[in-house]
Amino acid sequence: MKATKLLPILAVVLCVPGIALRALHLLNGFDVSTGLPTAGDKWIWFVIALFAISAIVYAVLALPLKTRDKVPFEQLLGTKETLFRMAAVVAGLIVAAGSLGYLYLTITTAEQDVAAWARVLEIVYAIMGVLTGGCMISLAKAQGVPMTEKSAAMTLVPLFWSCLHLLVNYRMTCTDPKLASFGFGLVADVMIVLAFYELARLLFGKPAPAMLAFFAAVAVTMSVSDIGGYGLAMLMGIPSMWSIKMVLRGILAAAACVMLAAELFCLCRSDAAQTAAED
């Protein structure tokens, strides 16, 4: 098996230790009564080490894809595989349904000290999430045929949504004294933005499939580990530290990463197939 083909597998498999370490960090690194970080927590360093080592490994495995910068989009990501489309449909439905739920919470929940512009921002974010879910499903179908200008535009909506997702998450957490519990999620959100940017760049800019593979892999591992670790920690008895909307945003990010993981599997599979043909 070519080394690059291991990249999506590792990105998914390393979510398991990532979830476990993130849960231990949340269980041991924060005061139960206040939710504030405690001094001397060692688990945060294990989480950082896992993500740092993972990023280095992903960079090495993605490097061979630099030779495919001039390969057409259809050869890189063109596929009619049922599993790919199923993953895209599941991701799209979760993002769309979750965004509708977020829109309902934003409209019906009265939050103190929330500026009108911030409320409007969240409403726009939720609406874009619904559109993004539809675009994910449509894009998966479009990848089975030659891309057109209309189908290529479907890569832009997830990019705009991911930018809004990062903006909303940062606005909601940047002044929170419990920021330490959100930090890994914010970094994961940056990786999601960069991954969707590189996906759109394949069609609207100078293609860099190696960068897409790297950012997508890091985003998958970090995002799933973050929300999965929080869920596991909740099951193990910690009191709720995140609001329902914060949890929902984490779920939306993980769902977007399902789509990125599907694209990653497709990208690395095409690289292995191309290498085999050349050999």
Side-chain angles (χ1 to χ4, degrees):
M1 180 183 293
K2 194 178 184 301
T4 303
K5 202 171 182 180
L6 292 173
L7 180 55
I9 299 172
L10 278 177
V12 173
V13 170
L14 288 178
C15 290
V16 177
I19 289 172
L21 290 174
R22 182 71 168 119
L24 289 169
H25 170 225
L26 292 169
L27 283 166
N28 299 285
F30 298 88
D31 185 88
V32 175
S33 59
T34 64
L36 297 175
T38 57
D41 172 42
K42 63 181 180 181
W43 292 105
I44 187 173
W45 299 110
F46 288 111
V47 178
I48 292 173
L50 174 66
F51 290 154
I53 294 171
S54 298
I56 294 171
V57 173
Y58 297 161
V60 172
L61 292 177
L63 197 59
L65 287 168
K66 286 184 67 66
T67 61
R68 309 207 67 197
D69 287 353
K70 296 183 179 180
V71 176
F73 181 90
E74 289 80 2
Q75 292 183 31
L76 286 174
L77 295 175
T79 181
K80 293 183 179 180
E81 287 191 6
T82 302
L83 286 177
F84 171 79
R85 292 189 175 183
M86 285 178 59
V89 169
V90 170
L93 289 175
I94 293 175
V95 171
S99 296
L100 283 174
Y102 196 92
L103 180 62
Y104 173 80
L105 289 174
T106 301
I107 293 174
T108 60
T109 304
E111 298 180 83
Q112 294 181 346
D113 302 323
V114 176
W117 69 267
R119 195 176 184 86
V120 172
L121 176 64
E122 288 192 277
I123 291 173
V124 173
Y125 161 69
I127 293 173
M128 284 296 295
V130 176
L131 296 176
T132 294
C135 284
M136 286 179 175
I137 297 172
S138 299
L139 179 61
K141 183 178 179 181
Q143 286 180 221
V145 296
M147 296 292 289
T148 64
E149 184 177 345
K150 183 178 179 180
S151 56
M154 294 177 192
T155 61
L156 298 177
V157 179
L159 173 59
F160 292 146
W161 170 82
S162 65
C163 293
L164 287 171
H165 177 81
L166 174 61
L167 183 60
V168 169
N169 247 357
Y170 180 74
R171 190 206 70 81
M172 298 290 285
T173 59
C174 64
T175 59
D176 195 312
K178 294 181 288 186
L179 178 61
S181 70
F182 309 133
F184 291 114
L186 289 174
V187 176
D189 291 341
V190 174
M191 296 298 108
I192 292 173
V193 172
L194 293 172
F196 278 120
Y197 168 75
E198 293 297 340
L199 179 61
R201 187 182 176 192
L202 293 179
L203 292 163
F204 292 98
K206 184 179 179 181
M211 299 297 286
L212 170 60
F214 172 73
F215 289 128
V218 175
V220 168
T221 301
M222 290 196 68
S223 185
V224 175
S225 297
D226 185 57
I227 188 63
Y230 180 77
L232 180 59
M234 288 286 290
L235 290 175
M236 296 173 70
I238 68 163
S240 177
M241 293 192 295
W242 296 357
S243 67
I244 182 63
K245 291 171 75 174
M246 180 69 191
V247 173
L248 187 51
R249 289 196 300 273
I251 294 172
L252 292 176
C257 285
V258 173
M259 181 67 179
L260 290 175
E263 298 286 9
L264 183 59
F265 271 99
C266 188
L267 177 62
C268 293
R269 180 218 60 197
S270 71
D271 180 65
Q274 177 70 19
T275 302
E278 292 173 354
D279 292 343

